[in-house]
Amino acid sequence: AQSVTQPDIHITVSEGASLELRCNYSYGATPYLFWYVQSPGQGLQLLLKYFSGDTLVQGIKGFEAEFKRSQSSFNLRKPSVHWSDAAEYFCAVGSYNQGGKLIFGQGTELSVKP
Amino acid sequence: GAVVSQHPSWVICKSGTSVKIECRSLDFQATTMFWYRQFPKQSLMLMATSNEGSKATYEQGVEKDKFLINHASLTLSTLTVTSAHPEDSSFYICSARSGTGNTEAFFGQGTRLTVV
């Protein structure tokens, strides 16, 4: 079955500390992978995406993610977290064969402490 | 990036009434639109996929007679929640994409529906 797992429901990091949010997927076809951020009551903002090519992807707001096919993972990282990064983060997977529809992970809530 | 606009941002309706939510692609032609539902503190669940001029394809477990989707033009899709009940209260988000293959879908800002 196709699925996306974000093992961490809630993470708290100190401002300025590094961050890694985990994402694992199970998908039959070649996956397209995405990370989105959502502030309370808001829609989704795309942080970065992976379709093909370089497995280390750079995104907006200083985020990056690395696609590791052997581990079925697409973890999101940021070297230094800012208080404004506090939000809900969703990993999603799709594919060309699925016509663009996405399967989302359950989300990781990030809190940033001063 | 491309802009997708949802209207209204929030709506409160009485139980038994119907509510229409609009999803518009403002600066591109959306051949495909997707409707998602998000319960509080939960993930997004795909409800249906609509292609312009075609009937929507609903995901398993989604009542197509309750959640009517129309994609009459390349810039507009609507979701109508018919005979709404309190359990339909949720956050509804649409996304839209043009073309196929390596094209991403762009998300609207979402609509908060509260049924009282």
Side-chain angles (χ1 to χ4, degrees), chain B residues 99-116:
Chain B
T100 59
N102 288 2
T103 57
E104 68 184 85
F106 297 92
F107 282 82
Q109 72 273 35
T111 297
R112 170 73 59 194
L113 169 64
T114 302
V115 184
V116 298

Side-chain angles (χ1 to χ4, degrees), chain A residues 4-79:
Chain A
V4 179
T5 301
Q6 293 178 243
D8 304 306
I9 295 174
H10 189 196
I11 284 182
T12 300
V13 299
S14 298
E15 191 168 16
S18 63
L19 170 71
E20 182 170 35
L21 302 183
R22 295 183 291 166
C23 173
N24 293 96
Y25 66 90
S26 174
Y27 207 73
T30 301
Y32 296 166
L33 295 154
F34 305 82
W35 275 99
Y36 290 91
V37 61
Q38 184 182 38
S39 297
Q42 301 295 313
L44 300 178
Q45 181 181 25
L46 178 68
L47 289 176
L48 46 79
K49 62 189 177 190
Y50 172 79
F51 286 156
S52 64
D54 192 346
T55 56
L56 183 62
V57 180
Q58 301 297 319
I60 63 171
K61 303 185 178 184
F63 286 94
E64 67 176 27
E66 186 171 12
F67 171 55
K68 294 185 177 180
R69 185 186 299 275
S70 61
Q71 299 178 21
S72 297
S73 69
F74 189 56
N75 294 347
L76 181 71
R77 299 192 293 253
K78 186 170 184 177

